[in-house]
Amino acid sequence: MDCMIAVHLEAGAVSIRDKAAPERAAGFALLKTRVAGICNTDLELQRGYYGFLGTPGHEFVADVVEADNSALVGRRVVGEINLACGRCEFCAIGLGRHCLNWTVLGIVKHAGAFAEFFTLPEANLHVVPGGISDEEAVFVEPLAAACEILDQVEIPRAEQVAVLGPGKLGSLIAQVLRAHGANVTVFSRNMAKPRAAYRFVVDATGSAEGLKEAIAMARPRGTVVMKSTVHGDVPVDTAAVIVNEISLIGSRCGRFEPALELLKSRQVDVRSLLHAEFPLGEAAQAFAEAAKPGVLKILFRF
Amino acid sequence: MDCMIAVHLEAGAVSIRDKAAPERAAGFALLKTRVAGICNTDLELQRGYYGFLGTPGHEFVADVVEADNSALVGRRVVGEINLACGRCEFCAIGLGRHCLNWTVLGIVKHAGAFAEFFTLPEANLHVVPGGISDEEAVFVEPLAAACEILDQVEIPRAEQVAVLGPGKLGSLIAQVLRAHGANVTVFSRNMAKPRAAYRFVVDATGSAEGLKEAIAMARPRGTVVMKSTVHGDVPVDTAAVIVNEISLIGSRCGRFEPALELLKSRQVDVRSLLHAEFPLGEAAQAFAEAAKPGVLKILFRF
């Protein structure tokens, strides 16, 4: 059995372990990591979200080492992180991301990409076009999550949109909505926030207070897109939601195609979001750095 | 100046006072109350919701005593409770119910119908067809609030829908959705609630816990309609909303036309929701009775 080094997360502690390299099942590709990014969700996993134990990591660029489909072998890929069973009613209608038996790379019951090797279904993989560097391609997963908003909500071009949260995801969302044609204002924590002013507000604060602020900024019959996954219950002024008939739309991962297209056509710039690179062996330092306020994307370089 | 008796709500106490009868402004009708109903919102007002002080009452049937439009005088009417300014941008696009300068009969800055006389804009009034009794017509306002769901959310006929809350509003919602063709199950507090089972869930519990239960019952990409106006913040598991990409739709008042049509065509039965009648002079007892668990509609008969 081959060995590899991998990040291990247990009871809030980040360590490096020697683990057995995974073996691929039929339909799965064995992947060798090139670059992986630390997401806020990884920091939430460290804090106990999902009761996580094991190897995290779901933002990656990797080379295909083994696969059923020989055309994939040797290619540089990114991959959708939700593993669908292919058999349940949601899979049957093309909503594999909501599969009833789902697992999620590096989040729910499937070892992640903060390791030399990991596996994913071949159906999840997207070959990265040559013009997109590793440092750009590693943003495809969060960029797809930003693009998901446009798959869920119809935002007219030239519409005024407020994005709360100037962090990594907020910045990607602002860029995606601007590429769509919207007139986006990004609000940081301390900026004055106009009340009942926007038809569309996106909460990407990553904080429990963001949703309440977003609701207060939405106009009657307005839409608040919820992008802040926060551990535990969040206080919501439901009377305001009801009286103003606001729609709150939970929004998660998205399709990779529009994200790859935005990178390829250079309609978004992700390089400005890069903060620092670490080798995998310094994972504990990398997690600590990623958790500091104002720090943007931290990458592991393999 | 003419005098009248009216309910007065102040610091949680319900009393009866002699007040000056209101004078109607241009465009307003002077109304003489026939029957009025106590709504859960009235009980919330008593608890301090909106910092209310004055005469509540927004569910009514009344006779038009004076009006600019002489065709209205002497007619038996019900009326939409939101007073729109007619000049702001929401009024301009026909969303007077979201008027920026709104007042609300018996709720926000406009004296209500728990009085011998009150006023409303003539544009808010709907003449009650002869086949509908006072005891039925007094349900038009909450019935319209139930109908509002179908104006906001497209529910396929024969769809399974869960309604949480077996009270007055929950019962009206269930009847409206059944008349629409949906397959409705009403859940009371102690019933077992299947998880992730429904594409549409309506929270009409009137309690802070209802929304959380509704979210847990909704399927991925499902819709939760929020009908429980609760004072203060409500804890919400936003991570579940985001991971399952659930839409939470705040829903308030509705148009009166579909409600009157449902009553006229006998597609809903509101008589079973009547609990007791009181004279206005026994308002304190009526409020106390309405607040008891399991009590349905309490009416004031003038």
Side-chain angles (χ1 to χ4, degrees), chain A residues 4-19 37-58 104-115 280 282-288 290-291 300:
Chain A
M4 64 173 188
I5 66 163
V7 172
H8 185 79
L9 207 58
E10 187 166 354
V14 178
S15 61
I16 292 293
R17 291 201 180 170
D18 287 316
K19 296 195 178 187
I38 299 180
C39 169
N40 279 347
T41 302
D42 298 314
L43 302 177
E44 292 275 341
L45 293 179
Q46 195 185 359
R47 293 182 198 117
Y49 182 49
Y50 280 117
F52 186 83
L53 171 75
T55 299
H58 58 276
V104 186
L105 178 69
I107 300 176
V108 182
K109 296 180 192 166
H110 192 88
F114 294 163
L280 197 64
E282 293 174 16
Q285 296 95 307
F287 267 71
F300 289 117

Side-chain angles (χ1 to χ4, degrees), chain A residues 50 89-90 98 148 212 219-221 228 233-234 236 238 242-243 245-252, chain B residues 50 89-90 98 148 212 219-221 226 228 233-234 236 238 242-243 245-252:
Chain A
Y50 280 117
E89 55 190 310
F90 285 96
H98 292 288
E148 173 73 353
K212 205 166 176 176
R219 293 166 58 129
R221 291 272 176 120
S228 291
D233 283 346
V234 169
V236 175
T238 56
I242 290 169
V243 167
E245 295 196 321
I246 291 168
S247 296
L248 309 179
I249 311 293
S251 179
R252 190 172 51 133
Chain B
Y50 280 118
E89 55 190 307
F90 285 96
H98 291 288
E148 173 73 352
K212 205 168 174 174
R219 292 166 57 129
R221 291 270 174 119
M226 296 166 60
S228 291
D233 283 345
V234 169
V236 175
T238 55
I242 291 170
V243 167
E245 295 196 319
I246 290 169
S247 296
L248 308 179
I249 311 292
S251 180
R252 190 170 51 129

Side-chain angles (χ1 to χ4, degrees), chain A residues 242, chain B residues 145 148-149 169 173 202-204 225-229 251-252:
Chain A
I242 290 169
Chain B
E148 173 73 352
I149 295 172
L169 184 55
I173 289 168
V202 181
D203 170 25
V225 178
M226 296 166 60
K227 276 291 189 190
S228 291
T229 342
S251 180
R252 190 170 51 129

Side-chain angles (χ1 to χ4, degrees), chain A residues 179-209:
Chain A
H180 172 71
N183 193 341
V184 179
T185 307
V186 177
F187 290 84
S188 59
R189 184 185 289 261
N190 295 321
M191 283 168 70
K193 301 191 176 65
R195 291 182 68 84
Y198 291 89
R199 270 182 243 277
F200 296 92
V201 184
V202 181
D203 170 25
T205 58
S207 78
E209 297 75 35

Side-chain angles (χ1 to χ4, degrees), chain A residues 92-278:
Chain A
I93 60 170
L95 282 178
R97 280 174 286 139
H98 292 288
C99 166
L100 295 174
N101 310 302
W102 68 313
T103 59
V104 186
L105 178 69
I107 300 176
V108 182
K109 296 180 192 166
H110 192 88
F114 294 163
E116 287 178 281
F117 297 96
F118 63 102
T119 66
L120 262 189
E122 295 176 26
N124 285 37
L125 302 180
H126 297 258
V127 172
V128 181
I132 304 175
S133 69
D134 286 353
E135 295 72 31
E136 292 171 317
V138 75
F139 282 94
V140 167
E141 196 279 329
L143 191 57
C147 292
E148 173 73 353
I149 295 171
L150 294 171
D151 269 0
Q152 294 180 282
V153 177
E154 199 168 329
I155 300 180
R157 286 167 214 281
E159 180 69 53
Q160 306 268 350
V161 179
V163 175
L164 307 196
K168 299 181 290 290
L169 184 56
S171 170
L172 292 174
I173 289 167
Q175 290 197 53
V176 164
L177 297 183
R178 282 178 185 137
H180 172 71
N183 193 341
V184 179
T185 307
V186 177
F187 290 84
S188 59
R189 184 185 289 261
N190 295 321
M191 283 168 70
K193 301 191 176 65
R195 291 182 68 84
Y198 291 89
R199 270 182 243 277
F200 296 92
V201 184
V202 181
D203 170 25
T205 58
S207 78
E209 297 75 35
L211 181 57
K212 205 166 176 176
E213 289 191 318
I215 289 167
M217 292 173 75
R219 293 166 58 129
R221 291 272 176 120
T223 296
V224 171
V225 178
M226 297 165 60
K227 276 292 190 189
S228 291
T229 341
V230 177
H231 189 48
D233 283 346
V234 169
V236 175
D237 180 4
T238 56
V241 174
I242 290 169
V243 167
N244 293 318
E245 295 196 321
I246 291 168
S247 296
L248 309 179
I249 311 293
S251 179
R252 190 172 51 133
C253 307
R255 296 178 299 118
F256 274 30
E257 291 85 350
L260 281 165
E261 188 54 42
L262 285 171
L263 284 177
K264 196 174 155 188
S265 62
R266 310 246 158 241
Q267 289 181 79
V268 300
D269 163 44
V270 295
R271 290 171 184 275
S272 59
L273 298 176
L274 291 170
H275 180 81
E277 294 187 2
F278 287 80

